[in-house]
Amino acid sequence: MIMEGVRPNMGRSIAQKILEEHLVNGSMEPGSDLAIRIDQTLTQDSTGTMAYLQLEAMGVEQVQTEFSIAYVDHNMLQQGFENADDHKYIQTVAKKHGVHFSRPGNGICHQVHLERFAKPGGTLLGSDSHTPTAGGIGMIAIGAGGLDVAAAMGGQPYTIPAPKVTAVELTGALPPFATAKDVILEVLRRLTVKGGVGRIMEYIGEGVTTLSVPERATITNMGAELGATTSVFPSDARTRQFLQAQGREADWVELLPDSNAQYAEHIVVDLSSIEPLAAQPHSPDAVDSVGNIGAIQVDQVAIGSCTNSSYQDLMRVAAILKGKTVHPDVSLVISPGSKQVLSMLAANGALADLIQAGARILEAGCGPCIGMGQAPATNAISLRTFNRNFKGRCGTDSAGVYLVSPETAAVSALEGVLTDPRHLGAAIEIAEPEQFPAQDNLVVPPATAGEEVAVVRGPNIKEFPLNTALPQHWEAPILLKVGDNVTTDDIMPSNAKLLPFRSNIPYLAEFCFSPVDSGFPARAQQAGGGFIVGGDNYGQGSSREHAALAPLYLGVKAVIAKSFARIHRANLINSGIVPLEFEQPDDHEWLKEGDVLLVESLVEAVQGDEPIPVKVVNREGQFAVRCALSPREQEMILAGGRINVIRQSQKGDA
Ligand code: MIC
Ligand code: SF4
């Protein structure tokens, strides 16, 4: 199908080619919606329970995608029955409905998916914000809330506001000890955590061929931190080589931009000028060079995550640590990305080098990245090869987390202070493996007769909250006012104590906004609900729809912000919470927590394009908001959420 908004003699970008191939309706015209067919889905366990509860609520018997898989990689600590219950539920519900199941121990969803299942030219929707990792192999891979992923499993197209395509042209080649991680940190330094909102970042230029597929995936992975819809690399000879080494050459197709491809924006990154960088506490865009930050004392080093735990990443770490001992004041933990990576390190002896040097080896999974253990000490400095350093995410509020490359992390673990790895002198060359040990023995296929499978539901699995239709008048207090870049980790934090309750919204809601204001849940319940007021980029970060469902449970009907992060805005709408934007951003300044707001004729207001007046009842003030919703989004808001729309249409069909 030829997309509107693309002139016929205009060259096409990779993103346009894949989107065009999967277009169901809509166009790339700015301001319009784009609905695409989804080939593959992935879920992980912390968002997956909710996604499969929603799949069941939709009445989907067998998934309609080419390939769907449920990973268990986040909730790995089993301090009580809860996580194990969730794993059992996911395993059985997956088996019943046609979904593959990646067992705990197989690895982090994004790393395993890149190795074993991602396909150039395809589309992937995942209930995790770092799903764009698969863009490193040339897929359009997008993160979304569980409900959107459940709908895609049911065969429904996925709809996004048409993104702009930004070309990131890579020139030159990386010097020794400058890494793919430093490239994406450089992009974050320039564009900030809001810089990618509404965009697909497409990497082009002669520098692309100097990067391996896992290096490309490190860059697309942290496109999530730019707020981008997704990021994508070409599929070229290096992609073919990677797929061949994974025993999957048949999955390769060439995918390059046309030489005259048109892009909405164009930035150039000269790889030869990249130096070791670090994102300082508490934001991935607070980037400076390791040299400028200086030799700060380090208490913990954590290596791993979906950003940096490929075979070559960990082999470089092993080469740096071999024959040495981790500094006595540093705790070094390593969480390998996948069973494939860990077993390769075990087979070639590198694992012994890591253990011998004093590294504490964790199982293949997310681990400390999501605060599942290894919380640092009070006021500690932790260097992490991960992608997020939001305050408190590591499990310790007073800790400061720096995001760095595996090379910087390893050399700093030896020195006890932040150290530029270029001090090591000679470059470390790790060859790309010609053959990976490619066994999918920890991936359980679905049942052939799904109807015979009984789904196991432990007592930790609770119903998810449903909203009611939108009221006509809404008069309620501002329950909380927050500033710019509030993260979903602020709204609904995750850590070893809370992750076991991802399928128990009533319990989770008691901790809603706890890093910002622990009085929020009680205040919200006492007031019988109300508004949240936010700044720019409200809800950045994770795809967890719990950051919408917990406020919903506490009676929040609308969030008024200067602007919203893409996935969170979609999750609010899916839950029937109205995302309103200030007409004049300055109005954010004078509003106060406790002010009582009144919106009249709410139903007409969300259906129209006009500014909506909001009265401040207690102060006789007034300001205006906008509610820019597509017709599809209006329908969900009016019905009180997407599940209600689906249920109503099912009643209509019956
Ligand atoms: C994260 O990195 O924040 C997570 C945990 O992977 C989340 C998903 C979740 O909250 O369960 C994400 O990035 O979407
Ligand atoms: Fe897991 Fe961390 Fe990646 Fe999220 S960012 S998927 S928690 S490794």
Side-chain angles (χ1 to χ4, degrees):
M1 196 187 291
I2 295 287
M3 285 202 273
E4 286 168 43
V6 178
R7 288 190 288 281
N9 58 354
M10 201 192 254
R12 291 181 306 157
S13 62
I14 299 166
Q16 277 171 346
K17 289 183 186 184
I18 303 177
L19 292 172
E20 197 170 307
E21 177 68 22
H22 290 83
L23 189 69
V24 177
N25 56 53
S27 82
M28 284 291 274
E29 223 32 270
S32 52
D33 268 356
L34 185 66
I36 53 170
R37 176 169 47 80
I38 296 298
D39 300 330
Q40 299 188 346
T41 62
L42 72 77
T43 57
Q44 40 87 339
D45 48 340
S46 66
T47 53
T49 41
M50 205 50 77
Y52 294 107
L53 285 169
Q54 288 157 335
L55 185 82
E56 290 183 299
M58 286 175 198
V60 174
E61 281 308 324
Q62 285 296 303
V63 296
Q64 303 294 311
T65 43
E66 279 171 22
F67 181 77
S68 285
I69 182 160
Y71 291 93
V72 173
D73 54 0
H74 282 64
N75 297 354
M76 305 288 267
L77 292 181
Q78 294 175 215
Q79 292 157 304
F81 61 89
E82 291 89 356
N83 285 339
D85 271 13
D86 284 5
H87 299 172
K88 265 214 161 80
Y89 167 68
I90 293 175
Q91 178 158 9
T92 50
V93 82
K95 189 167 190 179
K96 186 175 185 71
H97 296 291
V99 177
H100 287 71
F101 177 72
S102 171
R103 293 167 56 184
N106 200 34
I108 306 174
C109 53
H110 309 305
Q111 175 67 26
V112 177
H113 210 82
L114 186 77
E115 293 166 358
R116 306 301 310 138
F117 304 113
K119 287 187 187 178
T123 53
L124 166 69
L125 195 70
S127 65
D128 190 281
S129 64
H130 291 103
T131 303
T133 312
I137 216 165
M139 261 192 130
I140 288 290
I142 305 180
L147 180 52
D148 284 326
V149 177
M153 285 192 260
Q156 294 190 29
Y158 178 59
T159 306
I160 44 170
K164 289 183 192 166
V165 185
T166 299
V168 186
E169 183 181 348
L170 303 179
T171 61
L174 287 169
F177 298 109
T179 67
K181 178 63 158 281
D182 303 306
V183 174
I184 186 63
L185 288 176
E186 171 62 21
V187 178
L188 272 154
R189 163 155 73 177
R190 289 201 216 165
L191 302 185
T192 82
V193 291
K194 296 183 286 192
V197 175
R199 291 167 173 79
I200 294 180
M201 312 302 288
E202 179 164 319
Y203 289 84
I204 59 167
E206 99 247 358
V208 164
T209 55
T210 67
L211 300 173
S212 66
V213 167
E215 286 175 313
R216 297 174 187 185
T218 294
I219 294 172
T220 55
N221 172 280
M222 280 191 81
E225 278 51 66
L226 292 166
T229 304
T230 190
S231 303
V232 68
F233 268 85
S235 168
D236 57 9
R238 294 214 58 173
T239 320
R240 181 180 209 161
Q241 196 185 327
F242 177 79
L243 283 167
Q244 209 168 24
Q246 290 285 354
R248 304 206 281 131
E249 199 187 352
D251 288 343
W252 182 74
V253 289
E254 186 172 61
L255 203 56
L256 305 172
D258 291 339
S259 56
N260 59 342
Q262 300 288 315
Y263 294 96
E265 294 154 338
H266 192 120
I267 61 170
V268 179
V269 177
D270 175 8
L271 295 179
S272 58
S273 70
I274 297 290
E275 55 178 337
L277 298 173
Q280 305 165 89
H282 300 285
S283 181
D285 61 1
V287 174
D288 202 347
S289 70
V290 168
N292 277 349
I293 297 169
I296 50 169
Q297 201 184 318
V298 171
D299 304 282
Q300 184 192 54
V301 173
I303 296 177
S305 89
C306 55
T307 315
N308 273 130
S309 56
S310 67
Y311 169 76
Q312 278 163 301
D313 278 341
L314 296 193
M315 283 302 290
R316 277 190 283 262
V317 169
I320 294 172
L321 295 182
K322 189 177 165 104
K324 313 230 167 68
T325 303
V326 171
H327 190 279
D329 297 332
V330 174
S331 165
L332 169 66
V333 287
I334 299 182
S335 39
S338 67
K339 175 195 76 150
Q340 183 180 87
V341 170
L342 183 54
S343 59
M344 287 172 85
L345 300 182
N348 71 12
L351 183 60
D353 295 335
L354 296 172
I355 296 170
Q356 188 58 32
R360 303 165 64 181
I361 308 295
L362 306 178
E363 64 181 314
C366 299
C369 179
I370 188 56
M372 282 308 245
Q374 303 300 329
T378 306
N379 298 328
I381 294 298
S382 177
L383 296 193
R384 300 181 159 215
T385 65
F386 307 166
N387 47 40
R388 289 185 174 142
N389 58 348
F390 305 141
K391 191 170 184 305
R393 178 178 161 100
C394 61
T396 306
D397 270 358
S398 64
V401 173
Y402 289 73
L403 306 174
V404 296
S405 71
E407 285 83 334
T408 302
V411 70
S412 304
L414 294 176
E415 299 298 328
V417 292
L418 179 65
T419 307
D420 188 323
R422 290 176 296 189
H423 290 184
L424 289 171
I428 300 168
E429 299 295 346
I430 305 289
E432 267 190 88
E434 280 175 22
Q435 202 64 60
F436 289 95
Q439 283 163 5
D440 297 321
N441 57 326
L442 292 192
V443 176
V444 184
T448 35
E451 62 286 356
E452 287 165 16
V453 178
V455 176
V456 180
R457 272 170 243 274
N460 192 41
I461 312 278
K462 300 272 187 284
E463 289 283 297
F464 54 88
L466 281 178
N467 208 337
T468 48
L470 191 71
Q472 179 63 319
H473 295 265
W474 180 240
E475 180 173 334
I478 298 177
L479 298 168
L480 183 71
K481 179 179 156 180
V482 289
D484 291 346
N485 295 323
V486 157
T487 72
T488 48
D489 280 296
D490 294 322
I491 305 171
M492 198 54 261
S494 273
N495 52 41
K497 293 187 190 105
L498 292 181
L499 268 172
F501 299 98
R502 279 295 184 90
S503 29
N504 186 343
I505 297 294
Y507 181 80
L508 271 192
E510 291 174 32
F511 302 89
C512 187
F513 275 111
S514 55
V516 178
D517 179 350
S518 56
F520 171 77
R523 198 160 62 240
Q525 270 174 325
Q526 208 169 15
F531 292 86
I532 292 169
V533 168
D536 258 326
N537 202 22
Y538 177 84
Q540 69 159 330
S542 148
S543 66
R544 64 190 72 141
E545 51 199 338
H546 307 76
L549 294 174
L552 167 66
Y553 182 81
L554 295 170
V556 172
K557 281 258 184 252
V559 179
I560 307 177
K562 293 185 192 172
S563 64
F564 289 88
R566 180 187 66 86
I567 305 179
H568 187 60
R569 179 179 179 277
N571 286 340
L572 288 173
I573 295 170
N574 280 345
S575 314
I577 298 178
V578 195
L580 299 168
E581 289 185 22
F582 285 106
E583 178 77 350
Q584 299 295 337
D586 287 351
D587 284 328
H588 177 271
E589 309 315 319
W590 62 271
L591 288 172
K592 289 202 193 76
E593 196 182 292
D595 278 344
V596 177
L597 307 184
L598 168 66
V599 188
E600 283 170 328
S601 311
L602 196 50
V603 172
E604 291 74 26
V606 303
Q607 285 171 319
D609 245 358
E610 297 302 305
I612 305 167
V614 182
K615 287 192 184 132
V616 186
V617 179
N618 54 316
R619 293 205 262 162
E620 292 181 11
Q622 180 153 328
F623 63 100
V625 293
R626 278 205 179 261
C627 187
L629 297 174
S630 69
R632 185 182 143 272
E633 291 171 337
Q634 284 174 9
E635 189 188 10
M636 290 194 268
I637 288 289
L638 292 173
R642 187 166 185 187
I643 286 271
N644 290 344
V645 172
I646 293 171
R647 287 188 168 173
Q648 280 161 14
S649 77
Q650 280 166 350
K651 271 191 212 144
D653 292 345

